[in-house]
Amino acid sequence: MDVIEELGNYSVDISKTIEEELSCIVPNNLQEASIYLTKAGGKMLRPALTLITSEAVGGSRDNSLKSAAAIELIHTFSLIHDDIMDDDDMRRGKPAVHKVWDENVAILAGDTLFSKAFEIIMNSDPEKNTPTQLSQTLATVADACVKICEGQASDMSFEDRYDVSEEEYLDMIFKKTGALIAAASKAGAIMGGANQEVIDAMYDYGRLIGLAFQIQDDYLDLASDEETLGKPIGSDIAKGKMTIIAIKALAASEGEDNKKLLEILKDDNNSQEDIDVALDLFNKYGAIEYAKNVALENVTSAKKLLEILPDSESKQMLFDLADFVLERHS
């Protein structure tokens, strides 16, 4: 069975839990807007990671199911608000929430999911989870939420900057993307009853595959195809986004190459020819290959951390998930 099929198996229980928790929301349009993206075909990587980690440390799926659902609600909340801030029309191949309803309803839906996430954790079965586990999981999720906001703010601050360092960029993508993935694996370890050493290792595992996940997104923006990716190839170049690839190319290039690349990144009306020129420059200075290597290093380090776990099918799944981050095409 491949990773996508395995994630699908985990997502069944997660989706059922989410629907049950959101079924009491009124009025109906708010309930529909809140649950809309959770039914839009996402991989549910993050909540599945919570369940798998719980099993890998010796716990059960039931121990961490509500925490997993909470992680997915936080992720969905962040997507809804991101789409509003970025004025994106589509998400997961469907119109964004604020396009189906309006921005006010979308903001309320995101806020509802955010609040529900913490309520769900608090409603975990006390016979399955101790008060300490609940408080640690709440703190973990709250910390991730703060980091997501910090990451989004940093990303926005990069929009008019072309001197962003690689260190700044990696800190931003950890907070915006990696923090919730790290929280997902940490929450699973906590709810599964792991000791602190294992909990810390699982957090670092999630942090590393989270970094690799975003860097792979940067790579796919240039190396995938529009049908698979669901957006035009080179859209990051068109938007002038400072990805790790752009940062590396700007740092490595000189003279006319550097000048031309800056002109393209600063231009809001790039042609396909301009995007192709930028892509050639990225290749010329090894920036695309560099990004692939950084992502691979992170995944390799993440898998090394799994040595702390006893052998099991769940441990193997964590290995497979780490590889999947680099093997996916969308």
Side-chain angles (χ1 to χ4, degrees):
M1 183 178 293
D2 64 18
V3 171
I4 295 295
E5 287 181 282
E6 195 68 41
L7 289 175
N9 289 337
Y10 281 94
S11 70
V12 172
D13 289 341
I14 297 164
S15 297
K16 182 180 178 182
T17 301
I18 287 173
E19 287 193 39
E20 289 173 351
E21 294 291 341
L22 299 184
S23 63
C24 61
I25 295 172
V26 292
N28 285 341
N29 67 328
L30 180 60
Q31 181 184 137
E32 291 166 0
S34 298
I35 205 168
Y36 175 74
L37 275 187
T38 67
K39 292 182 172 181
K43 299 180 184 70
M44 291 202 175
L45 169 65
R46 293 157 186 81
L49 184 57
T50 299
L51 300 183
I52 295 163
T53 305
S54 181
E55 292 174 338
V57 303
S60 70
R61 191 177 301 198
D62 288 344
N63 287 106
S64 56
L65 186 55
K66 286 187 179 291
S67 296
I71 291 287
E72 181 64 12
L73 293 191
I74 293 296
H75 178 52
T76 308
F77 135 77
S78 71
L79 296 181
I80 292 172
H81 283 199
D82 278 359
D83 287 344
I84 295 169
M85 286 184 279
D86 296 340
D87 196 26
D88 285 336
D89 293 342
M90 303 294 291
R91 172 67 66 175
R92 294 175 176 169
K94 299 177 67 174
V97 174
H98 69 281
K99 295 297 181 181
V100 177
W101 289 271
D102 57 36
E103 287 193 5
N104 290 336
V105 172
I107 290 169
L108 289 172
D111 292 347
T112 299
L113 295 176
F114 178 86
S115 303
K116 271 290 184 180
F118 291 94
E119 181 183 75
I120 288 172
I121 295 172
M122 289 303 298
N123 287 340
S124 296
D125 189 340
E127 294 184 2
K128 296 175 182 175
N129 304 111
T130 68
T132 299
Q133 288 174 323
L134 293 178
S135 64
Q136 288 180 342
T137 300
L138 285 169
T140 297
V141 173
D143 177 68
C145 290
V146 173
K147 284 184 168 62
I148 290 169
C149 295
E150 291 175 342
Q152 178 68 7
S154 293
D155 193 21
M156 292 166 60
S157 75
F158 292 169
E159 288 178 2
D160 297 317
R161 283 184 56 197
Y162 300 93
D163 61 347
V164 177
S165 69
E166 183 175 325
E167 182 180 3
E168 287 179 297
Y169 177 75
L170 291 175
D171 180 65
M172 182 275 288
I173 65 169
F174 161 61
K175 289 178 175 177
K176 186 174 178 179
T177 301
L180 189 59
I181 294 176
S185 52
K186 182 177 181 179
I190 291 169
M191 290 303 207
N195 62 39
Q196 193 60 50
E197 182 183 12
V198 173
I199 290 171
D200 291 343
M202 292 302 95
Y203 182 82
D204 283 339
Y205 164 85
R207 174 180 63 84
L208 289 165
I209 66 169
L211 289 170
F213 189 96
Q214 183 56 55
I215 294 170
Q216 178 70 0
D217 270 2
D218 295 348
Y219 170 75
L220 289 174
D221 182 69
L222 304 175
S224 187
D225 61 81
E226 185 170 342
E227 183 177 352
T228 302
L229 196 59
K231 63 178 181 178
I233 299 304
S235 63
D236 286 347
I237 297 173
K239 294 177 181 178
K241 291 193 70 172
M242 291 300 288
T243 66
I244 192 172
I245 297 170
I247 291 166
K248 179 63 176 177
L250 284 172
S253 61
E254 296 178 340
E256 287 300 314
D257 284 351
N258 184 270
K259 181 180 178 181
K260 183 61 178 176
L261 190 52
L262 273 173
E263 286 176 358
I264 293 170
L265 290 171
K266 291 179 179 180
D267 192 346
D268 292 332
N269 296 296
N270 283 311
S271 65
Q272 186 58 52
E273 183 180 353
D274 292 326
I275 292 173
D276 290 341
V277 169
L279 184 56
D280 288 340
L281 290 171
F282 287 166
N283 280 312
K284 178 178 179 179
Y285 290 99
I288 296 176
E289 189 67 23
Y290 176 77
K292 286 178 64 178
N293 288 335
V294 172
L296 178 59
E297 288 170 5
N298 282 322
V299 165
T300 301
S301 296
K303 291 194 291 188
K304 183 78 173 173
L305 289 167
L306 297 177
E307 292 177 2
I308 198 171
L309 300 175
D311 289 341
S312 68
E313 290 184 7
S314 298
K315 177 182 177 179
Q316 184 59 50
M317 184 62 182
L318 293 175
F319 271 104
D320 294 342
L321 276 176
D323 288 332
F324 168 73
V325 166
L326 298 184
E327 293 168 356
R328 65 194 177 90
H329 300 292
S330 64

